[in-house]
Amino acid sequence: MAPALPPVNTAETFPAKTSVVIIGAGIVGLSAALTLAERGVPVVVLEKGRVGAEQSSRNLGWVRKMGRAAPDVPMSLAADRLWAEMPERIGVDVGYRQTGIMYLARTEAEMDMHRQWLKTVEQLPLDSRPLSNRAIGDLVPGGRENWAGGIYTPSDGRAEPTLAPSAIANAAIAKGAVIVENCAVRTLATAGGRVSGVATERGEIRCEEVLLAGGLWSRKFLGNLGISLPTLPLISSVIRTEPMDGPTEIAVGGPDFSFRKRHDGGYTITQRGALGAPLMLDHLLIGLRYLPMLRGQRGLLRIRLGRDFVNDLRLPRRWGAKGPSPFERVRTMDPDADAAINAEAMRNITAAWPAFSNAVIAEVWAGMMDITPDSLPVMGAAPKLPGLTLATGFSGHGFGTGPAAGALAADLVMNAPPIVDPAPYRLERFS
């Protein structure tokens, strides 16, 4: 089951030529399209399925700086400003509120990890601070647990993943962008040693620049071009409750649960300490790159071998302009929510805050994230393919930074002064 999204008035056809083609209509690709359209740059967004239908609408909606690697914080700071400007920019309230985010520690070891993070960002302009158990109780009343402590960032917040992608897409269209759904890009066309267009299932469109914002599918797209992008999939299972009285507007992440208030009065809940890890062929090909991450997060992953492995094997790994490509065979990645993980989430959250014992589950879904070995995205020029720019591998963090990541992607495509330093995001760091 997937969250319902507002409709987008997309085009049925695309022009024969444009300046920029964006592959993928998720939050980053759409934000880039909006930025380019505002600058008067002709841009076409091609989406194999529907606008925002994969991870961009299935995430938790957190807009946070807290917990991010120090090199990634400038992007998050820029995103805060752009989220705040969004209603005036696009004429729609997408639910952005700076209501704060809190992380909790059950043990001193967990609290030490939070303190270590605070040290890594102490030179940055953040309002993050440690919390005592008493302070946690004052900010989020009604809890039962005796916490070792926590950290809190009042300027962090939330936006609504079921509203933002469609609203940004409609605004981009109103400002001149063309968005075409159910139109998979199979590969690139080249001339004179650089990108000259894209080959789609409906024919070719000529262009000067291509931005790949394909999320989970970028590894396959680039692999077909001989470029290795290290990403592996993880699945997050999510619960939406009916409107209810809850303990706080602050988004709270415990060791084994999380919750945040929604614009509709309900809560979005997860088991923050458990992610589905479906084994794929790629685990054999690039899994060794993830060993440092696995050493620190062994308990987080629920590894499984089954249908996902078989389905992935059935997808082609090499294809041409005449296809078919894997993007036509799977229009939308729609993994099943893990009922056991969601049941754990409800048990854990109810034990910590009994108010959630009254929660009525309205909907569940799951989303598949593309994780890089260092959990930072890949942004910048593709190696050996002038005219192709990458904006992918956001590792489950892309919604919060989406507006800034899209602006940076637009800067990179147009060779404009970047909104933030792109150096931490270059693909070459994995070489």
Side-chain angles (χ1 to χ4, degrees):
M1 189 172 182
L5 302 177
V8 178
N9 187 25
T10 56
E12 293 297 323
T13 60
F14 51 74
K17 183 179 181 180
T18 190
S19 292
V20 180
V21 168
I22 297 175
I23 303 172
I27 188 77
V28 175
L30 294 169
S31 296
L34 176 62
T35 303
L36 291 168
E38 290 171 335
R39 297 176 183 177
V41 178
V43 57
V44 175
V45 182
L46 300 176
E47 167 56 48
K48 64 179 174 49
R50 305 301 297 271
V51 166
E54 294 185 313
Q55 192 58 19
S56 290
S57 61
R58 297 165 186 251
N59 64 86
L60 307 185
W62 292 25
V63 179
R64 65 176 175 84
K65 301 171 290 293
M66 190 167 66
R68 291 188 184 271
D72 200 31
V73 170
M75 178 100 80
S76 301
L77 289 165
D80 281 356
R81 174 177 59 82
L82 291 172
W83 277 115
E85 295 171 357
M86 197 66 73
E88 182 177 358
R89 185 181 182 190
I90 67 175
V92 177
D93 180 3
V94 295
Y96 175 65
R97 304 289 186 272
Q98 281 188 311
T99 49
I101 294 178
M102 178 188 299
Y103 285 168
L104 304 175
R106 191 170 278 133
T107 66
E108 278 300 320
E110 291 171 355
M111 192 60 204
D112 282 343
M113 293 175 63
H114 294 321
R115 294 189 188 104
Q116 289 168 14
W117 176 78
L118 285 168
K119 288 181 180 179
T120 68
V121 297
E122 61 187 0
Q123 302 302 318
L124 296 170
L126 298 181
D127 57 346
S128 305
R129 65 177 190 262
L131 295 175
S132 66
N133 181 60
R134 180 174 179 177
I136 292 167
D138 291 340
L139 289 167
V140 191
R144 279 185 177 167
E145 290 212 34
N146 184 25
W147 300 102
I151 54 173
Y152 175 47
T153 305
S155 64
D156 280 352
R158 68 184 194 235
E160 292 302 332
T162 54
L163 298 180
S166 296
I168 293 171
N170 283 322
I173 292 168
K175 296 179 181 186
V178 175
I179 302 178
V180 184
E181 296 179 309
N182 296 309
C183 182
V185 175
R186 290 172 172 169
T187 190
L188 303 178
T190 60
R194 64 168 287 120
V195 172
S196 61
V198 298
T200 82
E201 61 182 300
R202 302 187 196 177
E204 185 174 320
I205 175 172
R206 300 189 306 280
C207 63
E208 299 159 17
E209 301 285 340
V210 173
L211 173 65
L212 177 62
L216 178 75
W217 299 96
S218 296
R219 174 169 165 78
K220 281 185 167 53
F221 187 89
L222 291 173
N224 190 48
L225 300 173
I227 299 173
S228 176
L229 172 70
T231 59
L232 289 177
L234 289 179
I235 297 174
S236 176
S237 295
V238 185
I239 297 165
R240 176 176 72 84
T241 77
E242 296 285 1
M244 59 173 284
D245 292 330
T248 183
E249 291 281 331
I250 298 169
V252 176
D256 52 15
F257 65 86
S258 76
F259 61 86
R260 68 102 176 161
K261 192 76 169 180
R262 299 169 53 87
H263 74 295
D264 59 12
Y267 279 83
T268 297
I269 295 170
T270 67
Q271 210 293 41
R272 188 165 171 261
L275 291 171
L279 291 179
M280 309 281 192
L281 179 60
D282 282 344
H283 288 83
L284 300 177
L285 299 176
I286 61 172
L288 289 177
R289 298 185 182 214
Y290 290 79
L291 285 180
M293 181 185 294
L294 288 172
R295 291 189 186 102
Q297 299 183 344
R298 286 192 301 271
L300 177 71
L301 304 180
R302 303 292 173 87
I303 298 171
R304 70 188 192 203
L305 175 62
R307 187 180 63 186
D308 300 294
F309 186 87
V310 175
N311 290 342
D312 184 62
L313 279 182
R314 289 174 175 166
L315 295 177
R317 289 185 173 261
R318 292 290 182 269
W319 60 91
K322 295 184 179 180
S325 70
F327 320 120
E328 294 144 73
R329 297 191 181 185
V330 183
R331 297 284 178 182
T332 301
M333 181 60 71
D334 188 22
D336 294 330
D338 190 310
I341 288 177
N342 279 344
E344 288 177 23
M346 293 308 301
R347 286 196 300 271
N348 298 340
I349 197 173
T350 300
W353 271 275
F356 286 100
S357 62
N358 299 318
V360 176
I361 296 175
E363 187 179 21
V364 299
W365 66 82
M368 189 174 285
M369 305 172 289
D370 52 329
I371 311 297
T372 65
D374 59 7
S375 291
L376 292 180
V378 172
M379 301 191 71
K384 301 178 183 178
L385 261 179
L388 175 62
T389 300
L390 311 180
T392 193
F394 283 86
S395 302
H397 309 154
F399 180 81
T401 56
L408 175 59
D411 293 339
L412 295 172
V413 165
M414 302 308 298
N415 198 29
I419 187 173
V420 296
D421 182 4
Y425 307 122
R426 290 178 179 141
L427 177 62
E428 288 80 2
R429 72 186 190 269
F430 297 123
S431 298

